[in-house]
Amino acid sequence: MTEWNKDQVYANGITIHYYRTGGDKKPSILLLHGITDSGQCWPRVAADLEGVYDVIMTDARGHGHSGTSKDFSIALLADDAAAVIRALGLEKPLVWGHSMGAITASTLAAMYPDLVRAIILEDPPLRDEPLFQSTPDKALFQAGGEQQEQYGWQWLFELRALPREERIARGFALNPNWAKEEIIPWADSKAELNIDILEPALAAIADAAPWREVISRIECPILLITGDPEQHAIVTPEIAQEAAQLWKHGEVLHMSGAGHNIHRDRYDETMASVRDFLSRP
């Protein structure tokens, strides 16, 4: 696994940890991961882009090696991203977000239009109905067993309980179609997660500003990447079509056969289209 430069900035009451490939004269791209992942969960993307871009991969608050607080919202995650951009002196970076990171990227672009050049939204939680039947509370997370299984998070608690080597082996078993470079950082991120942040993070995703309002406010170019709902991708064709009627400068890239982790499921095809989008003036 590639060792990136590591550092942190202090903003919004916490330390925000990040990885960086470097390159002062290169344009910057900020990568924002999904819930329970970390900044290290972009190994192939960062390795492929570092020749052309200065790649910055942050750990969201409560994830990886970043600090945490009792407050958690998508707007606050966008504030954190804005703080990193300003602290590092990035000049209108590109921003690629996956899942929670994608709704953060869209909120960042809507709230701070002068900070962002263009955004890539990989299967953001654009839904009219809640992603979860209800938001489980901390007592349920501590209870385990059938209660956790009811909300689909039993796998996470089981994974966190394993020794690292067994956790990595489980990662390979759960994600047999992913490249091997993806598995170790994915497995490590689950142990690094501050489990107390899971409940507020799920609530924050459910309570994010209405996605139509956010999308309609964005001025910069948007690439929305979608997968197949039958494979557990979130964005439906109907929602993607509606989003395309709301944005000012955007396009939809549908990756057939991909689930929620689109760039992991269909890596070569996704990167080819992303490179084309990033190369435009």
Side-chain angles (χ1 to χ4, degrees), residues 2 38-39 44 46 101 119 142 149 174 183 196 219 230 249 268:
T2 304
S38 74
R44 300 178 79 194
I119 58 174
Q142 294 170 342
E149 181 65 26
L174 291 171
I183 300 298
D196 289 338
E219 299 289 337
E230 298 80 7
H249 310 285
D268 291 339

Side-chain angles (χ1 to χ4, degrees), residues 224-265:
L224 172 62
I225 309 177
T226 67
D228 288 340
E230 298 80 7
Q231 301 293 325
H232 308 295
I234 296 174
V235 180
T236 64
E238 295 76 18
I239 291 291
Q241 184 177 23
E242 186 174 355
Q245 302 301 315
L246 295 172
W247 58 42
K248 299 173 179 64
H249 310 285
E251 60 190 90
V252 178
L253 169 66
H254 177 68
M255 298 304 301
S256 179
H260 181 54
N261 294 279
I262 300 171
H263 76 270
R264 288 159 165 160
D265 292 340

